[in-house]
């Protein structure tokens, strides 16, 4: 594969050697400045996928373009709202369904597991069978699973329904992005992405507050049933969209998807089982070992398939692409873990309602949604390498401040400053990260590279929930001195579920454990910035190959 491997100097100021490179540099500049549709756990490269999708040969009418744009907005908003409000509802769900810590984690993990394992297959299916068809198919699965989630009588049904919901999202999300890219040509695409991203930013801001209000005033079930009217509108609008395919689409890599899903499931199950069984338990060790072996098998299978693989290993021959994915893994591990456990701290320690907890995260969503253009300008002026180093460091500082914030204080004196710093760091990082992924492998592979990076971001969130859950329990058990593991696990379950009769010592142990979790998240973010600084050679040096 002929890869374009830009030097760090080219990142800071792309060289213009001919018309092609000039157009490429101009496109990357627009990519970094366009508003990013970022929810609380959204991956960084969705706009790249839109740009990499070839437009229709025949130009659709303006009416059809507007209806297609509206359909993709409603479809994307459905997945975005679901991803941002579920975390706010988790404390209430755990309390109402009498769920354990591990079972509650699976509400998020089951969704992310199936989504991350099958999202690349979903994108390939859209290219192969038709983007509109797969979009409607994904909406149907997602909506039926949402109804089942909202009517779940127990935690087992809810977790199973969330897994099916993840499959629906894996078809819905990439198909919606490809539909948008196929409908608008290069001259109209930036404006369409601006509208799509602007609505996404608004949805990301309003979603958690609306979700918290529904939890407090209606029921936690309403956050899932809210998807039904959104899905009906999206599917209806999609009927007016044109159909498109990729004549060169490759076959679906179901074997790879099944293998990576099994590997991630084994690792997640092993980490979630630590509180009940301990780190040295044979089943835990066996699950973790089996998971790692399955992931190695997945890499071997993908290497053997070559260009037909859903994640071609050859992409990682680009030093920039490998660095971008390493940063994505660490940064979104920090993001996903912190925003999973933070609502528990706000609600159980600070006494916040679900509505207040959702509103507490509003500055984060607003900063990310509306600060991306300014962050892109900074990246253009000082170079992506600087932003991709400084941004994760600032985000890590925000998480560190959050680790030492007193949630019992007023919001403005406690959590607010730390959340703002965290949001600023993420905002500085995401626009140049999307440009880095787009430019690291060349135009021919930009869409596939962006899809892989999206999957990496979702895997990071999946691993964060499970791994930081094990850290939470280990720290809680340590600070709850003298308590047997089973008793510590039962007490932690009671705290997170909001049960009465919790002792001050147990509450203090939970507070310390939550601080450790946020400190680990901060360390991951800091490590991401430092790693990228040394992985990518300084400006002016020759790029490593």
């Amino acid at each position: 594969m002929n890869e374009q491997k830009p030097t760090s100097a080219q990142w800071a100021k792309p060289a213009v050697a001919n018309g092609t490179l000039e157009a490429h540099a101009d496109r990357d500049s627009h990519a970094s400045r366009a508003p990013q549709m970022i929810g609380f756990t959204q991956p960084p490269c969705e706009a790249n996928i839109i740009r990499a999708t070839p437009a229709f040969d025949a130009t659709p009418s303006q009416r059809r373009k507007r209806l297609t744009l509206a359909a993709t907005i409603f479809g994307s908003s459905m997945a975005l709202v679901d991803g941002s409000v579920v975390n706010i509802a988790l404390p209430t769900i755990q309390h109402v369904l009498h769920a354990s810590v591990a079972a509650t984690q699976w509400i998020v993990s089951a969704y992310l597991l199936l989504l991350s394992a099958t999202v690349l297959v979903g994108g390939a299916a859209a290219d192969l069978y038709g983007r509109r068809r797969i979009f409607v198919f994904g909406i149907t699965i997602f909506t039926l699973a949402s109804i089942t989630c909202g009517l779940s009588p127990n935690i087992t049904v809810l977790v199973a329904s969330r897994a099916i919901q993840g499959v629906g999202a894996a078809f819905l999300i990439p198909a919606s992005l490809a539909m948008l890219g196929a409908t608008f040509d290069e001259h109209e695409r930036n404006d369409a992405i601006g509208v799509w991203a602007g609505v996404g930013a608004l949805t990301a801001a309003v979603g958690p507050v609306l979700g918290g209000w529904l939890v407090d005033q209606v029921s936690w079930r309403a956050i899932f049933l809210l998807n039904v009217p959104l899905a009906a509108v999206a599917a209806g609008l999609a009927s007016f969209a044109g159909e498109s395919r990729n004549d060169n689409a490759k076959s679906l890599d179901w074997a790879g998807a099944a293998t990576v899903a099994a590997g991630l499931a084994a690792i997640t199950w092993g980490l979630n089982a630590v509180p009940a069984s301990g780190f040295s338990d044979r089943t835990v060790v066996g699950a973790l070992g089996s998971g790692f072996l399955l992931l190695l098998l997945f890499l071997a299978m993908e290497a053997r398939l070559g260009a037909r693989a859903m994640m071609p290993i050859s992409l990682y021959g680009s030093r920039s692409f490998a660095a971008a994915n390493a940063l994505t893994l660490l940064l979104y591990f920090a993001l996903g873990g912190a925003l999973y456990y933070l609502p528990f701290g706000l609600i159980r320690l600070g006494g916040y309602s679900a509505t207040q907890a959702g509103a507490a995260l509003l500055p984060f969503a607003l900063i990310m949604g509306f600060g991306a253009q300014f962050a892109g300008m900074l990246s253009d002026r000082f170079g992506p390498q600087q932003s991709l180093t400084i941004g994760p460091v600032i985000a890590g500082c925000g998480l560190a401040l959050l680790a030492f914030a007193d949630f019992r204080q007023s919001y403005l004196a406690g959590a607010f400053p730390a959340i703002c710093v965290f949001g600023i760091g993420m905002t500085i990082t995401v626009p140049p990260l999307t440009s880095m992924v787009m430019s690291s492998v060349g135009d021919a592979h930009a869409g596939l590279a962006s899809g892989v990076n999206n999957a990496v971001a979702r895997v990071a969130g999946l691993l964060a929930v499970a791994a930081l859950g094990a850290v939470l329990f280990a720290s809680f058990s340590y600070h709850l001195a003298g308590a047997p593991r089973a008793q510590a696990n039962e007490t932690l379950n009671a705290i997170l579920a909001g049960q009465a009769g919790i002792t001050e010592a147990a509450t203090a142990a939970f507070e310390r454990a939550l601080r450790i979790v946020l400190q680990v998240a901060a360390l991951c973010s800091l490590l991401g910035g430092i790693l990228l600084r040394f992985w990518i050679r300084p400006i002016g040096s020759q790029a490593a190959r």
Side-chain angles (χ1 to χ4, degrees):
M1 182 177 67
N2 295 324
E3 294 180 350
Q4 183 180 355
K5 299 179 181 179
T7 65
S8 298
Q10 285 175 313
W11 285 11
K13 188 175 181 180
V16 181
N18 52 48
T20 302
L21 286 180
E22 183 177 11
H24 182 71
D26 181 66
R27 183 203 62 196
D28 284 348
S29 176
H30 282 301
S32 66
R33 292 180 184 179
Q36 302 297 318
M37 184 175 176
I38 300 296
F40 290 110
T41 54
Q42 285 293 98
C45 286
E46 291 190 333
N48 284 357
I49 297 175
I50 298 172
R51 289 187 171 87
T53 304
F56 283 125
D57 292 333
T59 304
S61 66
Q62 290 299 318
R63 178 174 177 270
R64 175 168 284 189
K65 288 180 179 180
R66 289 192 295 269
L67 292 174
T68 302
L69 176 59
T72 59
I73 286 174
F74 274 98
S76 299
S77 297
M78 186 168 62
L80 181 61
V81 168
D82 185 87
S84 62
V85 304
V86 168
N87 285 6
I88 301 298
L90 287 175
T92 299
I93 294 174
Q94 183 172 359
H95 175 75
V96 173
L97 296 183
H98 308 289
S100 65
V101 174
T104 305
Q105 290 171 354
W106 275 110
I107 296 173
V108 172
S109 296
Y111 177 83
L112 289 177
L113 172 64
L114 272 296
L115 173 57
S116 58
T118 57
V119 68
L120 294 177
V121 171
D127 289 341
L128 186 63
Y129 298 114
R131 283 124 185 188
R132 184 182 64 182
R133 178 179 298 176
I134 295 301
F135 177 72
V136 174
F137 176 70
I139 286 177
T140 302
I141 294 177
F142 192 91
T143 307
L144 293 176
S146 297
I147 294 172
T148 309
C149 286
L151 301 178
S152 296
N154 53 54
I155 192 68
T156 303
V157 175
L158 178 58
V159 169
S161 301
R162 285 284 288 168
I164 298 172
Q165 208 179 25
V167 175
F171 287 96
L172 159 66
I173 293 172
S176 70
L177 301 176
M179 279 176 60
L180 195 57
T183 302
F184 293 90
D185 60 31
E186 294 181 0
H187 302 291
E188 300 174 308
R189 198 168 281 175
N190 282 332
D191 290 338
I193 291 174
V195 174
W196 168 82
V199 175
L202 181 62
T203 303
V206 174
V209 182
L210 174 62
W213 183 84
L214 288 173
V215 170
D216 286 335
Q217 303 299 325
V218 184
S219 169
W220 63 267
R221 301 178 186 277
I223 66 171
F224 297 109
L225 299 178
L226 180 64
N227 292 328
V228 177
L230 291 175
V233 174
L237 291 171
S239 64
F240 296 97
E243 185 59 282
S244 64
R245 294 178 177 83
N246 182 354
D247 294 334
N248 299 317
K250 56 188 178 182
S251 59
L252 305 185
D253 185 10
W254 285 114
T259 304
V260 73
L264 292 172
I267 292 174
T268 304
W269 184 90
L271 291 171
N272 284 347
V274 166
S277 303
F279 285 99
S280 59
D281 183 80
R282 290 184 178 180
T283 57
V284 171
V285 174
L288 294 175
S290 299
F292 283 115
L293 288 176
L294 285 167
L295 293 183
L296 290 175
L297 176 61
F298 166 72
L299 294 177
M301 292 170 60
E302 298 301 281
R304 184 176 180 180
L305 286 173
R308 295 182 292 115
M310 71 178 192
M311 190 188 77
I313 302 301
S314 57
L315 290 175
Y316 289 91
S318 165
R319 189 184 183 102
S320 298
F321 182 73
N325 280 284
L327 174 58
T328 299
L329 185 67
L330 289 166
L331 188 67
Y332 278 77
F333 182 96
L335 174 68
L339 294 178
Y340 177 90
Y341 290 101
L342 181 59
F344 284 100
L346 294 173
I347 292 171
R348 299 302 179 220
L349 295 175
Y352 287 55
S353 66
T355 306
Q356 290 170 333
L361 298 173
L362 186 59
F364 180 87
L366 291 175
I367 290 171
M368 288 205 68
F370 299 102
Q373 184 174 4
F374 179 70
M377 294 170 62
L378 290 178
S379 175
D380 291 342
R381 180 171 181 178
F382 297 105
Q385 188 184 20
Q386 300 298 325
S387 295
L388 293 174
T389 300
I390 295 172
V393 170
I394 293 176
C397 291
L399 287 171
L401 290 173
L402 204 55
F404 294 101
D406 185 354
F407 296 142
R408 298 179 183 85
Q409 287 184 322
S410 68
Y411 173 67
L412 292 179
F416 176 72
I419 290 174
C420 288
V421 174
F422 182 34
I424 290 170
M426 287 293 299
T427 304
I428 291 173
T429 306
V430 171
L433 181 59
T434 64
S435 296
M436 180 182 182
V437 171
M438 193 81 164
S439 63
S440 61
V441 297
D443 289 348
H445 304 283
L448 179 58
S450 298
V452 170
N453 186 257
N454 280 4
V456 169
R458 291 178 170 111
V459 168
L462 169 68
L463 296 178
V465 173
L468 293 179
V471 170
L472 181 73
F473 172 76
S475 179
F476 178 79
S477 182
Y478 173 79
H479 289 105
L480 198 66
R485 184 179 65 249
Q487 182 182 345
N489 186 31
E490 183 179 347
T491 304
L492 182 59
N493 284 329
I495 292 173
L496 294 180
Q499 296 179 10
I502 304 300
T503 65
E504 291 184 7
T507 301
F510 170 64
E511 185 172 9
R512 291 171 185 164
L514 183 60
R515 294 186 191 281
I516 295 297
V517 165
L518 293 172
Q519 288 171 32
V520 172
L523 181 62
C524 288
S525 184
L526 291 169
L527 182 61
I530 295 171
L531 181 67
L532 186 124
R533 182 69 179 182
F534 289 99
W535 196 325
I536 301 300
R537 294 185 179 181
I539 294 176
S541 66
Q542 185 177 1
R545 295 185 184 275

